[in-house]
Amino acid sequence: VRKKLEPSLGQMPRSKWLATIVRDAPLMFDYRPYQVTDAQIDAAQRMLESLEFRVHTKRLPLVLGPYRQGGQPNLFSEDLVSVETEKSKVSVGRVSSYEDVIAWIGDRHAAAFEHTEGAAVAVGLEALEVEPKTLSRLVAERGGELAFHDSKAMLRKAASYVVPGFDAILSAYVLQSARSNYAIEDLAQGYLEEQPPQSPAEKASAISRLEKPLTDRLNLEGQWKVYAGIELPLVPVLAEMENTGVAVDVGMLEEFGKSLSVQIGQIEQLVYELAGETFNIGSPKQLGKILFDKLCIPSGKKTKTGYATGVEVLQQLAPEHDICREILNWRELSKLKNTYADSLPKYVAADGRIHTTYAQHVAATGRLSSNYPNLQNIPIRTETGREIRRAFIPAPGFQLASLDYSQIELRFLAHHCGEPALVEAFESGTDVHAVTASLMWNEPVGKVNREHRRYSKMLNYAVLYGVTDFGLANQLGGEFTISEAKELIKDYFERFPKVREYIDTTLEEARSKGFTTTICGRRRYFQDIYAGNRVARHYAERQAMNAPLQGGSADMIKLAMINIRPLLESKSTRMILQVHDELLFELAAGEEDLVPKLKEAMENALPLDVPVEVDASLGPNWLETKS
């Protein structure tokens, strides 16, 4: 550090001088052309209040003060340049016994907060610091009456599976699902317009006082039913699932990892032979030099750091170049080994089960996410990847039951657009992809060839997710050019005009309102729907097209989980895992008659204009569940 500083000692004062703002410059400014009347200021305040710019409403008199008729302008007024929100003063007490806490709360609606720095309960601006064990007992006995910030974590810790009285995170999430942060400090600044709370007592007080503005906002925006009817009742369901966990065969994972190591080693040797030398296969820079400089494979695209060697590039080259195909295999097996075979055993608790954490407030679509570890990314598309599921097993005396929604987003599409061909396919139980192929290639449904059905399946899902002609051409593995893929999409919309109409109507809603809604009323906002950047705008449009479908299916499975809970109350069977459109149960011996009831609860969770179907299967592990 000294060597770096010494040569610059003479430059430092000059740098400081350059960076220093001159605050006593002899500036002359004529405010007279910009003077405003009291009536104008009042009108501006009413306008800001109507738009709910509460902070700006408070600042307005200070900002416009120098321009008021008859006022004394002062451009460098401290009041003008330094306007801060105040921190509400919380009166804090402390009690030692649980009974004293109960007596202090009385019949009031209290909020609870606990973190590493301590625990507290509060009612408005009054708070009590309490022992963590006292708060845990309060949550266990009165969790349904309390307000929280992240209720699930506290209910899970207390093993109290009740619907919480209020949850600040969930209410803020329903209002703004695209936010990346719902910290209590940010919510207090945004909804209470005060400086961030610091102590546990201040945070508990903030939670207590957040309930009214958040509740008012939910009602004002028509989001109360989503919050109170879906998100809040789901909390105890998820808390219980997390505490129950899912059993894992660690020995099977270890053996699978060893098998993968052997396969990875064999592929490495083959890649080295094809390349004519050894190199680091995991290094994009080295791989690019081998593929495009040494082997002179065409289509090499230069980036700032070298050649592009992503999955899309290699997939295009794989049909004609063995080395590209083997590198893709190497990447798949390496990911399976590192992400699953080697990592999952580290998450197995003393009870032999993995206890993942479900987050309700992460995905803007309304879907749940899974962390520590992420069990929603367990592979399903490749045969080798599916082997991971063999390690998920039931406890002794149980078997696994998998209940999975069938083509649920396509059913939502048929419900929303009312396209006769799609509706008829679902009502008659006909293969919807075969129906699509029949219309696209003018073939009888019963004689649709395998390739045309595969193309139609890709088309159906490409439409669901707003895939471009370029994207569809890539998905089709180079079998179609971009212009041919574009023609396919055009033909699809000509044969399914109601789908085109639905997409246009949905995009118009997003452009006019800034958001779209699901059947249940869940909103998703799209800030970039009018972005000047073409890529950002098109991405927002694709999200808007899919939001009512993916969000609707998320609402459906959440409602199903809520409705299933009463069916399991007096049973030994347990709901242990949720993965997108699938629920996994540990089915107790002798309780097989539950399966039709679980299936019915899922199918009737959110009625559509087309039939909803659930595939149910049983087995000794997740992979081998069979109908």
Side-chain angles (χ1 to χ4, degrees), residues 412-419 463-464 496-509 516-517 544-550:
F412 268 94
L413 177 63
H415 168 87
H416 281 290
C417 72
E419 178 61 55
V463 169
L464 276 181
F496 299 95
K498 290 280 189 180
V499 175
R500 173 81 270 174
E501 184 181 327
Y502 159 74
I503 290 174
D504 291 343
T505 302
T506 304
L507 288 178
E508 182 57 34
E509 179 187 14
T516 58
T517 56
M545 287 161 51
N546 182 251
L549 311 177
Q550 194 172 132

Side-chain angles (χ1 to χ4, degrees), residues 546-561:
N546 182 251
L549 311 177
Q550 194 172 132
S553 64
D555 288 341
M556 178 179 281
I557 199 164
K558 285 179 175 180
L559 288 168
M561 295 168 75

Side-chain angles (χ1 to χ4, degrees), residues 156-221:
R156 178 181 173 183
K157 181 180 178 181
S160 173
Y161 308 125
V162 296
V163 178
F166 172 75
D167 192 310
I169 281 185
L170 293 182
S171 52
Y173 166 71
V174 171
L175 289 170
Q176 294 175 291
S177 64
R179 285 181 66 152
S180 59
N181 192 343
Y182 299 91
I184 186 63
E185 294 85 352
D186 292 341
L187 297 183
Q189 279 186 298
Y191 289 96
L192 300 178
E193 298 171 21
E194 60 187 44
Q195 292 179 26
Q198 301 299 321
S199 68
E202 289 177 348
K203 291 176 181 178
S205 170
I207 295 168
S208 176
R209 291 179 290 115
L210 276 167
E211 184 167 0
K212 186 180 187 308
L214 286 169
T215 297
D216 289 347
R217 193 73 200 172
L218 287 165
N219 281 309
L220 185 65
E221 295 190 8

Side-chain angles (χ1 to χ4, degrees), residues 262-305:
V262 172
Q263 295 178 62
I264 290 168
Q266 292 171 343
I267 293 174
E268 285 176 349
Q269 292 306 312
L270 180 56
V271 169
Y272 297 153
E273 289 177 16
L274 292 169
E277 65 176 274
T278 60
F279 66 99
N280 182 358
I281 302 175
S283 166
K285 187 173 182 179
Q286 292 185 34
L287 178 60
K289 288 182 177 180
I290 292 291
L291 296 180
F292 305 115
D293 288 341
K294 181 178 181 180
L295 300 181
C296 299
I297 293 175
S299 301
K301 296 178 181 178
K302 278 273 192 178
T303 67
K304 291 180 180 179
T305 56

Side-chain angles (χ1 to χ4, degrees), residues 480-608:
F480 289 78
T481 64
I482 294 174
S483 60
E484 288 171 337
K486 184 177 183 178
E487 195 64 28
L488 270 180
I489 295 173
K490 178 175 173 288
D491 290 347
Y492 181 95
F493 286 130
E494 287 178 355
R495 287 160 175 76
F496 299 95
K498 290 280 189 180
V499 175
R500 173 81 270 174
E501 184 181 327
Y502 159 74
I503 290 174
D504 291 343
T505 302
T506 304
L507 288 178
E508 182 57 34
E509 179 187 14
R511 293 186 185 112
S512 63
K513 298 179 180 178
F515 62 85
T516 58
T517 56
T518 66
I519 295 176
C520 294
R522 183 190 299 273
R523 292 184 182 183
R524 183 176 179 186
Y525 290 86
F526 304 97
Q527 294 181 342
D528 290 334
I529 200 70
Y530 272 117
N533 182 291
R534 180 174 172 272
V535 174
R537 185 174 68 254
H538 285 186
Y539 181 63
E541 289 173 350
R542 292 196 298 274
Q543 288 180 316
M545 287 161 51
N546 182 251
L549 311 177
Q550 194 172 132
S553 64
D555 288 341
M556 178 179 281
I557 199 164
K558 285 179 175 180
L559 288 168
M561 295 168 75
I562 294 166
N563 295 342
I564 282 170
R565 192 178 180 217
L567 299 177
L568 304 180
E569 279 184 353
S570 59
K571 306 291 183 180
S572 299
T573 295
R574 303 173 288 194
M575 184 160 45
I576 58 172
L577 201 59
Q578 189 269 350
V579 179
H580 303 312
D581 301 325
E582 178 185 9
L583 293 177
L584 194 66
F585 297 84
E586 219 167 31
L587 186 67
E591 294 183 357
E592 289 79 7
D593 61 329
L594 265 177
V595 175
K597 297 176 183 177
L598 299 174
K599 188 172 183 289
E600 182 181 6
M602 290 180 69
E603 291 176 342
N604 295 330
L606 187 58
L608 302 181

Side-chain angles (χ1 to χ4, degrees), residues 20 71 145 170 173 220 249 263 276 362 371-372 405 427 589:
T20 302
E145 303 170 16
L170 293 182
Y173 166 71
L220 185 65
D249 185 340
Q263 295 178 62
V362 171
N371 298 289
Y372 312 112
Y405 281 112
E427 287 182 344

Side-chain angles (χ1 to χ4, degrees), residues 52-115:
E52 298 189 7
F53 290 131
R54 293 181 288 271
V55 173
H56 295 317
T57 304
K58 287 182 178 179
R59 291 168 56 108
L60 189 72
L62 290 169
V63 173
L64 294 186
Y67 306 93
R68 187 190 298 270
Q69 286 181 346
Q72 296 298 318
N74 180 2
L75 188 62
F76 297 108
S77 164
E78 290 298 327
D79 289 336
L80 183 64
V81 299
S82 179
V83 181
E84 293 185 356
T85 55
E86 296 181 359
K87 183 185 290 185
S88 295
K89 295 181 180 179
V90 180
S91 61
V92 184
R94 186 171 183 84
V95 295
S96 56
S97 73
Y98 175 74
E99 290 71 24
D100 289 341
V101 174
I102 294 298
W104 181 83
I105 294 174
D107 58 359
R108 298 183 297 174
H109 185 45
F113 178 84
E114 181 184 10
H115 204 259

